[in-house]
Amino acid sequence: HSFLAERWLRDGRAADETVLQVMQVEALRTELEALWRDEMLPVFAALGMGPAAEDYLVELRERLLNPFLEHRLSEIALNHAQKKQRRFAPLLALCRQLDVGAPQHRLHAALAPPG
């Protein structure tokens, strides 16, 4: 959710856009899937939690694609700066601590100041 909210804010997308609508934009969904695969899963794999993390992502993907949830990105983006720090920064620190070697370009860019 937080990464989608980041893209929604940075791209100046429609004010009433929902998670489902964003997930149906091929480029954004591809980027989210790459974030999961390339930047998050390697950290969980290094912790010995790879299969559990992959199972969780299957559930998360299904939830984000649920046509009955109209979760607006404007709601998710409330207090976005604090949410990013709580969610992304610890993962980046853990990646460094475990010396995972995943570059995590998307997560670093999400934490960078807009501009």
Side-chain angles (χ1 to χ4, degrees), residues 17-37:
E17 194 164 36
T18 66
V19 170
L20 178 61
Q21 289 169 324
V22 165
M23 288 295 287
Q24 293 172 342
V25 176
E26 185 177 346
L28 293 176
R29 182 167 173 186
T30 298
E31 187 173 4
L32 178 63
E33 296 276 349
L35 169 81
W36 291 342
R37 180 189 64 241

Side-chain angles (χ1 to χ4, degrees), residues 2-3 6 10 31 35-36 38-41 43 84-85 87-93 95 102-112:
S2 294
F3 184 74
E6 176 69 14
R10 287 192 184 239
E31 187 173 4
L35 169 81
W36 291 342
D38 302 337
E39 300 185 29
M40 297 179 75
L41 284 177
V43 177
K84 286 192 308 183
Q85 285 300 317
R87 294 172 182 161
F88 299 162
L91 186 66
L92 290 169
C95 183
Q104 298 179 306
H105 299 295
R106 293 170 190 88
L107 290 175
H108 282 288
L111 283 175

